[in-house]
Every structure is written in C-alpha cells, then in structure tokens.
Amino acid sequence: MTNTLLLDVDGTLVDTNYHHTVAWLRAFRSVGLTVPAWRVHRAIGMGGDRLVEAVAGEHAEAEHGDAVRKAWKDEFDGLLAEVQPLEGAHRLITSAATEHGFAVVLASSGKREHLEHYLDLLDVRDVIAGFTTSEDAEDSKPAPDLLQAALSTVDSERAVVVGDSVWDCDAARRTGLPVVGLLTGGFSEAELREHGASSVYVGLDNLRSDLVDLPFAAV
C-alpha cells in the first residue's frame, strides 16, 4: 500500500512566510495602499490571486490587483537569497522517502522558479516523487485543486497533508484528506485544529519522530 506525504512548502519546509509578508507590504505601498502587516500575514498561504482582495477589499483588487501581484514578485525575488530551509526539512523528507518508503510530493502553490530554488536549497530532488506549482492548479488555496494535482503525480492509495496555515487545512478538508499542522508559519495550534488539523507539531524534527503514526487515509 503506497502512502503519500503531501508537503506544503512555504512556511512548512522553507522559512518564507515573513519574507512574503514584507514583499506584499511593499507591493501594496507601491500602488499607494498601506495595509497592516498582521492582516497580510494572516493571508499568507492562500493563493496570490485571492490575497489582494482578502487584505484590502474588492476595490483594491479591481483597481490594483495585477500591479500588486507583479510588485510582490519583484520584491520577493529580491529577498529569495535570504530564504533558509526550516530546521529538519531535509531530514524529514529523506527519512519519509528512504526509511519509510513514502511517496513524498511537494504540494506548492508558489511560482515554479521559486520552487526550483527551494529544491536546490533543500537538496531533495533525488528523493521526492513529484511536486506542484501555481501552474498546476486552476484555483488556488483554500480550494482543493492544488492537492488534487499533487495526488495525480503519484499512484497513491493513502495520503496525508502537512501544512503550516489554515489555508492548507481548509484545502485538505475540501480534498477529503487528513491534515497535520506545523507552527512554523505563525498560525496557532488552536487555529490549525479549528480548521481540521488532527495534530500540530512545533517543528519538523518533532513530526519526523511520528512519521509512522501519521493519519494516512484512503485517497
């Protein structure tokens, strides 16, 4: 029986959530919009196509949405060299794939060029079974499209999702999959559990010690 571990990337494997927050803040300001940082952070993890409206409202999306998204990419690209893997990311992926025989799929909704950078940073190209980017889903998180696309990359019988945001949890629930949460993205344990996480871990090494006990469910 093939077990598939669907891993979110930003905020789960690489420490980017606050870089994204800063990039979005600068992007909003580039079009003359000042929004509170906490509101931007709360939206990190949902698709960029949704974030402008979620943070600043329908009018901001209609008038500035595309410009803000372009400015965000430009700003984030400038921060990319500062990004580091979260502690234990490489160990988690290699342990899941080589010691436990799981099919590990990186279910990212980020830009492909960003994910390519993370794959090198994490040094896991030779052990993962597949990956997704924003190009692979018609609708972004919290819609289930991305996770469904990730599942399609492998022949899986059972799967579990691991993510750091309420948006990951919502997408997993809509896909009908169990989800495990991490505190690495800045969301609280209570929030992650409220959105469906069956368990919540402080970090990736804590999760790695419980890999055999993850709540894999039939796909």
Side-chain angles (χ1 to χ4, degrees):
M1 180 175 292
T2 303
N3 287 331
T4 298
L5 189 63
L6 299 177
L7 292 170
D8 173 59
V9 178
D10 282 280
T12 298
L13 299 175
V14 290
D15 196 6
T16 54
N17 282 21
Y18 298 99
H19 297 76
H20 281 300
T21 298
V22 169
W24 280 111
L25 285 172
R26 292 174 178 173
F28 277 112
R29 288 171 187 163
S30 74
V31 298
L33 295 174
T34 299
V35 295
W38 71 266
R39 190 178 296 278
V40 175
H41 172 255
R42 304 290 298 172
I44 299 300
M46 67 165 57
D49 57 324
R50 300 174 184 268
L51 188 144
V52 175
E53 181 174 339
V55 170
E58 293 181 8
H59 179 74
E61 169 59 36
E63 189 168 349
H64 301 293
D66 289 342
V68 173
R69 280 182 284 276
K70 181 181 183 306
W72 160 77
K73 185 179 182 304
D74 292 341
E75 292 289 349
F76 187 74
D77 285 349
L79 297 171
L80 195 59
E82 299 179 21
V83 171
Q84 293 295 316
L86 282 158
E87 181 68 23
H90 178 82
R91 290 189 292 271
L92 173 73
I93 294 169
T94 54
S95 176
T98 62
E99 295 176 27
H100 299 285
F102 299 162
V104 179
V105 179
L106 305 191
S108 172
S109 57
K111 299 289 186 184
R112 186 182 181 97
E113 59 263 41
H114 295 163
L115 183 64
E116 293 285 355
H117 178 75
Y118 301 152
L119 289 174
D120 291 334
L121 201 61
L122 294 163
D123 188 24
V124 293
R125 288 182 182 273
D126 59 341
V127 294
I128 62 171
F131 64 83
T132 64
T133 70
S134 57
E135 300 173 6
D136 299 307
E138 183 173 340
D139 205 358
S140 62
K141 293 177 187 176
D145 301 35
L146 187 80
L147 293 179
Q148 292 167 343
L151 280 173
S152 73
T153 66
V154 293
D155 183 15
S156 178
E157 296 177 3
R158 304 196 309 164
V160 65
V161 177
V162 177
D164 67 287
S165 74
V166 296
W167 315 111
D168 297 320
C169 295
D170 289 346
R173 188 176 68 248
R174 294 176 185 181
T175 314
L177 292 174
V179 59
V180 170
L182 287 161
L183 297 181
T184 48
F187 287 88
S188 71
E189 178 174 354
E191 291 171 315
L192 295 169
R193 287 187 180 277
E194 182 180 345
H195 285 260
S198 61
S199 55
V200 178
Y201 291 86
V202 173
L204 295 168
D205 281 329
N206 305 95
L207 173 62
R208 180 168 58 91
S209 67
D210 284 354
L211 279 174
V212 294
D213 297 318
L214 291 183
F216 290 93
V219 175

